[in-house]
Amino acid sequence: FLKLGHAGACTLNCGGEHTTTFGCLWGLSEAHDDSFGVIHIDAHSDTMASWGGDKVNDGSIFRQAVLHGFIDPERTVQIGIRGRSNFLWEFSHDTGMTVITADEVFERGTDYVIAKAREVVGNDKTYFSFDVDGLDSNYMMGTTGPEPFGLTPRQVRDIIHGCRGIEIVGADMVELNPNRDTDGKYGHVAAALFF
């Protein structure tokens, strides 16, 4: 990603677990000699301190990206956050990230979410990260951490479309788990959103 960033490419990564995003942010941050804003769609904030002794893992990458200076927390918006571990959101709030829960997406609508995301990231370089478990488990069980009460594919698509014109330097879609997608229907949804 360092070489791609130096070449001026806007990267698009289709990863496995969300840990792949950390390497993307690292390489692009070094290439641009800058930190980025982030638009992050996910069920989980991914700001844990550690997991199983690993500081950099799929549950901690955005904490580590802030601590390493790859991203600017005050230019970061996390969308679709929900679940039973809201104590894990403390780092997001404490560092100035904007957290829009899945409930807020439904209550306020995607137009509000898009406007808020554009306001938070502004006109500077931004990375877009989409964890497929941001989708409601009715639409996405083919992932390692499915969560109910999430977003619909249409809402995610509308948010993606609403980010056109933002200075995106890189993007990814992560956490589709083929082992949990026996008939391919979740991969079908993920591919449509990736496209």
Side-chain angles (χ1 to χ4, degrees):
F1 284 87
L2 179 63
K3 288 182 180 179
L4 291 169
H6 279 306
C10 176
T11 65
L12 180 59
N13 177 49
C14 185
E17 66 173 23
H18 218 155
T19 310
T20 61
T21 300
F22 186 78
C24 301
L25 291 169
W26 188 346
L28 290 172
S29 178
E30 285 191 12
H32 291 273
D33 194 27
D34 203 357
S35 62
F36 305 118
V38 175
I39 298 170
H40 170 212
I41 300 175
D42 201 326
H44 314 103
S45 63
D46 292 351
T47 53
M48 298 170 59
S50 65
W51 181 260
D54 294 327
K55 283 188 178 178
V56 178
N57 60 71
D58 61 338
S60 71
I61 54 151
F62 290 106
R63 172 190 289 261
Q64 291 303 319
V66 167
L67 296 177
H68 283 78
F70 304 155
I71 67 173
D72 179 353
E74 294 185 359
R75 291 188 55 238
T76 297
V77 57
Q78 299 185 303
I79 302 165
I81 309 300
R82 61 192 186 281
R84 298 162 295 279
S85 302
N86 58 354
F87 67 92
L88 297 173
W89 310 349
E90 290 173 1
F91 183 87
S92 298
H93 293 297
D94 291 348
T95 58
M97 293 181 183
T98 300
V99 177
I100 302 173
T101 66
D103 286 345
E104 288 178 285
V105 176
F106 277 90
E107 291 162 6
R108 296 182 177 216
T110 55
D111 287 344
Y112 164 81
V113 173
I114 293 162
K116 189 66 175 176
R118 296 180 79 88
E119 175 190 325
V120 169
V121 300
N123 297 318
D124 292 325
K125 297 171 184 170
T126 300
Y127 191 89
F128 191 105
S129 185
F130 170 45
D131 183 329
V132 297
D133 69 27
L135 294 167
D136 184 88
S137 54
N138 184 54
Y139 303 103
M140 183 54 63
M141 280 297 289
T143 183
T144 306
E147 290 279 358
F149 313 116
L151 307 184
T152 69
R154 183 177 295 272
Q155 287 172 317
V156 171
R157 184 202 63 184
D158 289 351
I159 294 167
I160 292 168
H161 287 178
C163 291
R164 288 179 174 156
I166 293 174
E167 189 180 349
I168 302 290
V169 295
D172 64 47
M173 182 187 74
V174 297
E175 294 287 350
L176 181 69
N177 186 336
N179 294 328
R180 297 186 177 192
D181 188 15
T182 55
D183 63 1
K185 77 177 181 180
Y186 306 116
H188 180 72
V189 171
L193 291 169
F194 191 65
F195 177 77

